[in-house]
């Protein structure tokens, strides 16, 4: 009988970092990094996921939790142009009680 060491989820994800990792796996990798308090790395992973699949709302929500103390406008510049950025901005403003900015974003969405 051959016995193989069972890899942990973290070990499996580390071996898949690169082009062969699918969007779901990248998202899970971001969650692992976030759990390990590696917020900068997790933020970068979520940004890559969202640039490839902007409608992945769970990744936007996780990113919202990470950028709590950062300048979110700077982070928005890292994204490709997509209408989901506006929904994220509105959600972020509501979460962080930035009501005035949220109203401005909503007004901008009405003009679309």
């Amino acid at each position: 009988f051959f016995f193989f060491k069972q890899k942990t989820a973290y070990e499996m994800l580390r071996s898949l970092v690169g082009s062969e990792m699918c969007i779901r796996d990248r998202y899970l990798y971001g969650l692992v990094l976030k759990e390990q308090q590696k917020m900068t790395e997790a933020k970068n992973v979520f940004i890559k996921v969202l640039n490839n699949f902007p409608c992945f709302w769970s990744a936007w929500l996780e990113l919202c939790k990470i950028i709590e103390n950062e300048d979110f406008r700077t982070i928005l510049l890292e994204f490709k142009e997509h209408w989901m950025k506006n929904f994220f901005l509105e959600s972020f403003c509501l979460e962080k009680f930035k009501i005035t900015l949220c109203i401005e974003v909503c007004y901008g969405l009405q003009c679309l």
Side-chain angles (χ1 to χ4, degrees):
F1 292 99
F2 292 98
F3 293 96
F4 295 98
K5 178 184 175 227
Q6 185 174 2
K7 291 184 176 182
T8 64
Y10 177 73
E11 290 171 326
M12 287 173 30
L13 288 171
R14 293 284 298 176
S15 67
L16 288 176
V17 174
S19 60
E20 58 189 84
M21 188 183 290
C22 73
I23 290 178
R24 184 201 65 217
D25 292 341
R26 281 188 194 273
Y27 170 72
L28 292 175
Y29 181 56
L31 291 177
V32 168
L33 290 171
K34 183 179 154 221
E35 185 67 27
Q36 294 177 338
Q37 302 300 313
K38 297 179 180 180
M39 298 307 181
T40 302
E41 293 174 19
K43 178 189 74 167
N44 292 333
V45 169
F46 289 133
I47 288 171
K48 285 179 185 176
V49 166
L50 292 166
N51 273 325
N52 289 318
F53 190 65
C55 294
F56 198 158
W57 189 246
S58 296
W60 287 109
L61 293 177
E62 292 300 328
L63 185 62
C64 184
K65 295 173 190 173
I66 289 175
I67 62 173
E68 188 170 350
N69 296 320
E70 292 184 39
D71 182 11
F72 65 94
R73 290 177 193 240
T74 304
I75 289 177
L76 285 177
L77 294 175
E78 296 183 44
F79 289 105
K80 297 175 184 175
E81 279 305 313
H82 194 274
W83 53 267
M84 280 298 288
K85 277 186 1 180
N86 293 328
F87 288 107
F88 170 69
L89 179 57
E90 184 178 340
S91 175
F92 180 85
C93 292
L94 284 173
E95 283 288 320
K96 307 304 177 190
F97 304 106
K98 298 178 187 298
I99 304 302
T100 305
L101 185 56
C102 185
I103 291 170
E104 291 175 16
V105 171
C106 288
Y107 180 73
L109 289 176
Q110 290 174 356
C111 296
L112 294 177

Short mmCIF file of all heavy atoms in Angstrom, two decimals, residues 50-52 54 60 76-83 85:
data_model
loop_
_atom_site.label_atom_id
_atom_site.label_comp_id
_atom_site.label_asym_id
_atom_site.label_seq_id
_atom_site.Cartn_x
_atom_site.Cartn_y
_atom_site.Cartn_z
N LEU A 50 -11.56 40.07 -9.24
CA LEU A 50 -12.60 40.98 -9.70
C LEU A 50 -12.29 41.60 -11.06
O LEU A 50 -13.22 41.92 -11.81
CB LEU A 50 -12.83 42.06 -8.65
CG LEU A 50 -13.46 41.50 -7.37
CD1 LEU A 50 -13.37 42.50 -6.23
CD2 LEU A 50 -14.90 41.08 -7.62
N ASN A 51 -11.03 41.75 -11.40
CA ASN A 51 -10.71 42.23 -12.74
C ASN A 51 -11.02 41.19 -13.80
O ASN A 51 -11.32 41.52 -14.93
CB ASN A 51 -9.24 42.67 -12.82
CG ASN A 51 -9.07 44.10 -12.39
OD1 ASN A 51 -9.92 44.95 -12.64
ND2 ASN A 51 -7.96 44.39 -11.74
N ASN A 52 -10.95 39.91 -13.42
CA ASN A 52 -11.29 38.83 -14.36
C ASN A 52 -12.77 38.49 -14.37
O ASN A 52 -13.30 38.02 -15.37
CB ASN A 52 -10.48 37.58 -14.04
CG ASN A 52 -9.02 37.75 -14.38
OD1 ASN A 52 -8.68 38.29 -15.41
ND2 ASN A 52 -8.15 37.32 -13.48
N PRO A 54 -15.85 40.53 -12.80
CA PRO A 54 -16.35 41.65 -11.99
C PRO A 54 -17.69 41.41 -11.29
O PRO A 54 -18.04 42.13 -10.37
CB PRO A 54 -16.47 42.80 -12.99
CG PRO A 54 -16.00 42.31 -14.28
CD PRO A 54 -15.68 40.87 -14.19
N TRP A 60 -16.25 41.14 -3.88
CA TRP A 60 -16.39 42.57 -3.56
C TRP A 60 -16.64 42.76 -2.07
O TRP A 60 -16.06 43.66 -1.45
CB TRP A 60 -17.55 43.18 -4.34
CG TRP A 60 -17.33 43.40 -5.80
CD1 TRP A 60 -17.91 42.71 -6.83
CD2 TRP A 60 -16.50 44.39 -6.41
NE1 TRP A 60 -17.48 43.20 -8.04
CE2 TRP A 60 -16.61 44.24 -7.81
CE3 TRP A 60 -15.66 45.39 -5.92
CZ2 TRP A 60 -15.93 45.05 -8.72
CZ3 TRP A 60 -14.98 46.20 -6.82
CH2 TRP A 60 -15.12 46.02 -8.20
N LEU A 76 -10.06 51.70 -6.18
CA LEU A 76 -10.94 51.65 -7.34
C LEU A 76 -10.18 51.89 -8.64
O LEU A 76 -10.57 51.40 -9.70
CB LEU A 76 -12.08 52.66 -7.20
CG LEU A 76 -13.18 52.28 -6.21
CD1 LEU A 76 -14.20 53.41 -6.11
CD2 LEU A 76 -13.86 50.99 -6.60
N LEU A 77 -9.09 52.64 -8.57
CA LEU A 77 -8.29 52.91 -9.77
C LEU A 77 -7.61 51.64 -10.29
O LEU A 77 -7.20 51.58 -11.44
CB LEU A 77 -7.24 53.98 -9.48
CG LEU A 77 -7.79 55.38 -9.19
CD1 LEU A 77 -6.65 56.31 -8.80
CD2 LEU A 77 -8.57 55.93 -10.36
N GLU A 78 -7.47 50.63 -9.43
CA GLU A 78 -6.81 49.39 -9.82
C GLU A 78 -7.73 48.48 -10.65
O GLU A 78 -7.28 47.47 -11.17
CB GLU A 78 -6.31 48.64 -8.59
CG GLU A 78 -5.24 49.40 -7.82
CD GLU A 78 -4.71 48.61 -6.65
OE1 GLU A 78 -4.45 47.40 -6.81
OE2 GLU A 78 -4.55 49.21 -5.58
N PHE A 79 -9.00 48.84 -10.75
CA PHE A 79 -9.96 48.00 -11.46
C PHE A 79 -10.17 48.47 -12.88
O PHE A 79 -10.12 49.66 -13.18
CB PHE A 79 -11.32 48.01 -10.74
CG PHE A 79 -11.31 47.28 -9.44
CD1 PHE A 79 -11.31 47.96 -8.25
CD2 PHE A 79 -11.26 45.89 -9.42
CE1 PHE A 79 -11.30 47.29 -7.05
CE2 PHE A 79 -11.24 45.21 -8.22
CZ PHE A 79 -11.26 45.91 -7.04
N LYS A 80 -10.45 47.51 -13.75
CA LYS A 80 -10.86 47.83 -15.11
C LYS A 80 -12.23 48.51 -15.02
O LYS A 80 -12.97 48.33 -14.06
CB LYS A 80 -10.98 46.55 -15.93
CG LYS A 80 -9.69 45.79 -16.10
CD LYS A 80 -9.94 44.48 -16.82
CE LYS A 80 -8.68 43.65 -16.91
NZ LYS A 80 -8.93 42.34 -17.50
N GLU A 81 -12.56 49.26 -16.07
CA GLU A 81 -13.87 49.92 -16.09
C GLU A 81 -14.97 48.87 -16.20
O GLU A 81 -14.97 48.05 -17.10
CB GLU A 81 -13.96 50.90 -17.25
CG GLU A 81 -13.31 52.23 -16.96
CD GLU A 81 -13.84 52.90 -15.70
OE1 GLU A 81 -15.07 52.96 -15.52
OE2 GLU A 81 -13.02 53.36 -14.90
N HIS A 82 -15.87 48.92 -15.25
CA HIS A 82 -17.02 48.00 -15.26
C HIS A 82 -18.09 48.61 -14.36
O HIS A 82 -17.78 49.23 -13.34
CB HIS A 82 -16.62 46.62 -14.74
CG HIS A 82 -17.63 45.57 -15.04
ND1 HIS A 82 -18.70 45.33 -14.22
CD2 HIS A 82 -17.75 44.71 -16.07
CE1 HIS A 82 -19.43 44.35 -14.73
NE2 HIS A 82 -18.86 43.97 -15.86
N TRP A 83 -19.35 48.40 -14.72
CA TRP A 83 -20.43 48.98 -13.95
C TRP A 83 -20.52 48.44 -12.53
O TRP A 83 -21.06 49.08 -11.63
CB TRP A 83 -21.77 48.81 -14.68
CG TRP A 83 -22.08 47.40 -15.08
CD1 TRP A 83 -21.79 46.83 -16.28
CD2 TRP A 83 -22.71 46.39 -14.31
NE1 TRP A 83 -22.21 45.52 -16.30
CE2 TRP A 83 -22.78 45.22 -15.10
CE3 TRP A 83 -23.24 46.35 -13.03
CZ2 TRP A 83 -23.34 44.04 -14.65
CZ3 TRP A 83 -23.81 45.17 -12.57
CH2 TRP A 83 -23.85 44.04 -13.38
N LYS A 85 -18.21 48.31 -10.40
CA LYS A 85 -17.46 49.21 -9.52
C LYS A 85 -18.41 50.20 -8.84
O LYS A 85 -18.25 50.52 -7.67
CB LYS A 85 -16.40 49.99 -10.30
CG LYS A 85 -15.14 49.25 -10.50
CD LYS A 85 -14.00 50.02 -11.14
CE LYS A 85 -14.14 51.43 -11.51
NZ LYS A 85 -12.93 52.00 -12.12
#
